[in-house]
Amino acid sequence: MHSPPLFDAPGSCVLAVGTYTEILPHVQGRGRGIHLLAFDGATASFHERQVLTGPVNPSYLCAAAGRLYSVSEREQDAVLEIFAIEDGAAALRAVGRVAVPGAAPCHVSVNLPARQLYVSNYGSGELLCFALEADGLPLGAPQVIARRGAGPRADRQEGPHVHYAAATGDGAWVYLCDLGTDTIARHQVRPDGLAPAPARELRARPGAGPRHLVLTADGTLAAVAEELSNTVAVYALDEPAGERARASTLPRDWRGANTASAIRLHPNGELLYAANRGHDSIAVYRLRHAAPWLDPVGFIEVGGRAPRDIALTPDGAFLLAASQDDHFIRAWRIDPATGLAHAQGEPYPLASPACLCPLP
């Protein structure tokens, strides 16, 4: 089959999309695996390049140094799969597959300076650290960092639930979000792995449920999407560390069920986007670094249920959203003056999308 060209209009990129392929308690998965799409910024349209049907529940992806990494969200027999990004991001080729100890891995990230890879186990509550060989493949068994504790929400916080872990830009530190214990922890990176005990733990408000975070370019602030309280909180990371600002992800008059999901910081370092599952929207803020403070700007109506993930094109021209339960992805062109966005093109049908990963 002839592959569509790689487009060069502003906003154009290649996108890997992970999907849910099985029925789980929180999703009626109908996905096929991993989709490789070319996005044309001129027409705001998606063009399929490849579908990999082997991966099971590849609910989170990350790309680094010519490799795409995928974790399978399963309670048992979870795996980390590695693919080579080939032919100018025109194809993916399987190059490695390793078992993931623990249950329900839901996030993966790479620390290139340290040659490490991190897997967050939501179900069993551990952080895994894999050493990477020069070719980007895991080397040996992972270091397992177990966590302890609980939160006030008995239905979601009966124990630790690590939902996110990623390194700072210089590769010296790793920040993790533990939804189950309302904790954001910082671990020092060592040549042989991570320091087992965190150098610092920031406490979110009881029952907040920190899910994902983004760091500012200078590494002084973290903006955290708190899933259970439907809030975005800004934390200072230098002394005195702690919460500095907080804003709801929802309109004041919203009374329905909702859980916050993804959070993204625009390349300009000021516009911040957080997705809502229930209200089915994306909250927009301006991040004021000096105070610091969050200025709510407004909402982008997604038009589809359960936007589990959002992504920005590498140049910041478009916001992309995955409507997990209405089975499509769509693009919105960002107005740089306001930070709000306007729907462009047509929704692209794709079953149970869970993760949007623009390729570098």
Side-chain angles (χ1 to χ4, degrees):
M1 182 176 69
H2 176 70
S3 294
L6 295 176
F7 303 102
D8 57 7
S12 298
C13 65
V14 177
L15 184 72
V17 182
T19 67
Y20 280 110
T21 64
E22 296 181 329
I23 296 175
L24 300 175
H26 64 286
V27 59
Q28 297 291 305
R30 305 177 191 171
R32 298 174 62 194
I34 298 174
H35 298 250
L36 191 63
L37 306 177
F39 175 67
D40 180 5
T43 60
S45 57
F46 300 88
H47 304 263
E48 186 173 280
R49 303 185 67 79
Q50 187 182 14
V51 182
L52 298 174
T53 58
V56 177
N57 296 337
S59 69
Y60 212 88
L61 315 171
C62 75
R67 297 287 185 263
L68 181 75
Y69 300 88
S70 166
V71 285
S72 61
E73 190 174 327
R74 309 183 79 186
E75 289 293 330
Q76 295 179 332
D77 303 320
V79 295
L80 167 70
E81 297 183 83
I82 306 97
F83 304 89
I85 303 170
E86 297 186 327
D87 301 328
L92 300 173
R93 177 175 59 87
V95 294
R97 189 174 190 268
V98 297
V100 172
C106 64
H107 189 269
V108 59
S109 68
V110 170
N111 182 346
L112 281 179
R115 285 190 183 174
Q116 294 177 358
L117 178 143
Y118 312 115
V119 172
S120 299
N121 279 343
Y122 180 87
S124 48
E126 308 98 358
L127 173 63
L128 309 180
C129 174
F130 288 87
L132 294 179
E133 298 182 300
D135 61 1
L137 297 180
L139 177 64
Q143 176 189 12
V144 179
I145 296 178
R147 293 187 53 79
R148 294 176 176 82
R153 283 274 303 263
D155 58 333
R156 296 291 307 277
Q157 295 183 308
E158 79 297 340
H161 292 299
V162 180
H163 213 308
Y164 170 98
T168 54
D170 61 4
W173 300 93
V174 168
Y175 283 90
L176 70 83
C177 293
D178 186 342
L179 182 147
T181 66
D182 292 321
T183 304
I184 300 108
R186 184 175 80 167
H187 288 258
Q188 186 177 25
V189 176
R190 297 176 174 176
D192 60 345
L194 298 177
R200 172 182 291 155
E201 288 195 331
L202 299 173
R203 303 298 301 183
R205 296 187 185 184
R211 176 185 172 94
H212 282 196
L213 65 77
V214 290
L215 298 174
T216 55
D218 61 6
T220 62
L221 299 174
V224 181
E226 297 173 330
E227 176 176 337
L228 304 182
S229 60
N230 298 306
T231 45
V232 170
V234 176
Y235 292 86
L237 302 178
D238 294 336
E239 292 294 351
E243 183 187 311
R244 293 293 182 272
R246 174 177 294 265
S248 176
T249 65
L250 296 167
R252 291 180 181 273
D253 59 354
W254 176 257
R255 296 294 180 267
N258 190 80
T259 51
S261 56
I263 186 167
R264 303 294 179 190
L265 183 62
H266 193 274
N268 68 12
E270 292 185 1
L271 295 171
L272 190 66
Y273 299 89
N276 287 303
R277 295 168 295 179
H279 188 248
D280 297 332
S281 66
I282 301 165
V284 185
Y285 314 85
R286 283 196 181 275
L287 175 60
R288 308 294 185 183
H289 292 241
W293 193 247
L294 283 171
D295 286 339
V297 173
F299 296 90
I300 301 166
E301 299 299 326
V302 172
R305 291 176 297 154
R308 183 178 182 86
D309 199 18
I310 57 176
L312 293 156
T313 57
D315 63 0
F318 286 88
L319 179 70
L320 312 176
S323 293
Q324 172 192 287
D325 293 349
D326 274 336
H327 310 290
F328 68 79
I329 60 177
R330 194 167 192 182
W332 283 260
R333 187 183 297 275
I334 294 173
D335 180 347
T338 66
L340 296 173
H342 307 283
Q344 301 286 301
E346 297 296 324
Y348 181 80
L350 196 151
S352 305
C355 178
L356 303 177
C357 179
L359 302 187

